[in-house]
Amino acid sequence: MLIVQNVMEPASLRNALVDMIATGITDVRVASAYVTLKGADILLSAVMDAVGPVAFSVMPKTLITSFDFGLTEPQALQRWCAMTNSMVFVSGARKLAQGSLMPQRAFHPKFYILGRGPQMCSMLVGSANLTSRGFSVNTEAAWVQQAVPRVVADGAFDKVCFETTALTENLLTAYATLRQAPTTRDRTGSTTRSRT
């Protein structure tokens, strides 16, 4: 089913996610280029409301996002890491080690996989990042599909996870620090962040 969201039909994507969650889920996997704390809260609150705090606590939760351009909020990563039974992977760790948040190749997927047991899942694939605007007022489009074989979703998620790094506290600290550093231009004209 195609969902189109705009200012005349706000929160269409959020409502589609909530409808998918309401039918019962066993795990959550998200690949989103950029994530904000409010965006993460939209999804995670909907899941907790649907399944209850105990089931939410034990449910596997995986996020893949990026350090690209410094757009992902460190607070969103902290929120995700603070949950039990959750994992976070990031793209851009190599560039971060070089003092840059400018990717050589941008990490840009946006898809949401909600498991329904060992064989099936539901998916939302589209243009919306896991941000409050992405799931409320931005003009966005997404395809929602129920009863996707888990093997298909697993294959897609494995491809997205390629060349990502498990988020550590040290990586998160380095990212938050570099994100706040003043920007400079290198000899090629690319924007980098000065190390302090």
Side-chain angles (χ1 to χ4, degrees):
M1 175 172 59
L2 179 64
I3 309 286
V4 177
Q5 170 183 284
N6 62 25
V7 71
M8 299 300 292
E9 296 183 45
S12 298
L13 294 187
R14 180 198 172 280
N15 294 339
L17 262 183
V18 169
D19 290 346
M20 291 167 59
I21 292 164
T23 57
I25 61 172
T26 57
D27 57 275
V28 176
R29 289 181 285 173
V30 174
S32 177
Y34 319 121
V35 181
T36 64
L37 180 59
K38 287 182 179 179
D41 282 341
I42 287 171
L43 172 64
L44 298 172
S45 297
V47 173
M48 186 182 292
D49 290 347
V51 303
V54 174
F56 180 79
S57 177
V58 299
M59 174 184 294
K61 299 167 282 289
T62 306
L63 171 66
I64 305 175
T65 189
S66 78
F67 292 150
D68 297 355
F69 312 108
L71 294 174
T72 291
E73 293 179 350
Q75 301 88 337
L77 300 175
Q78 290 168 337
R79 165 83 160 95
W80 205 281
C81 289
M83 297 183 295
T84 58
N85 211 12
S86 69
M87 297 185 295
V88 178
F89 297 89
V90 291
S91 178
R94 286 187 202 159
K95 292 298 284 183
L96 176 68
Q98 298 167 2
S100 175
L101 298 175
M102 296 299 292
Q104 288 178 311
R105 296 181 310 275
F107 180 87
H108 217 243
K110 294 102 177 172
F111 69 95
Y112 305 82
I113 302 171
L114 305 175
R116 304 200 174 286
Q119 301 299 322
M120 293 294 188
C121 60
S122 297
M123 291 181 69
L124 184 149
V125 180
S127 62
N129 284 300
L130 188 55
T131 64
S132 59
R133 289 181 177 269
F135 279 86
S136 61
V137 296
N138 283 359
T139 299
E140 307 279 2
W143 184 263
V144 174
Q145 184 144 352
Q146 307 283 359
V148 177
R150 187 176 278 272
V151 67
V152 172
D154 290 349
F157 208 71
D158 288 346
K159 286 180 182 179
V160 170
C161 203
F162 181 71
E163 290 190 336
T164 62
T165 303
L167 183 65
T168 63
E169 191 173 323
N170 287 343
L171 269 178
L172 181 53
T173 299
Y175 172 63
T177 301
L178 187 57
R179 200 172 171 262
Q180 294 176 351
T183 58
T184 60
R185 294 231 174 240
D186 66 17
R187 286 179 287 166
T188 66
S190 296
T191 302
T192 59
R193 304 228 176 223
S194 339
R195 292 183 182 208
T196 53

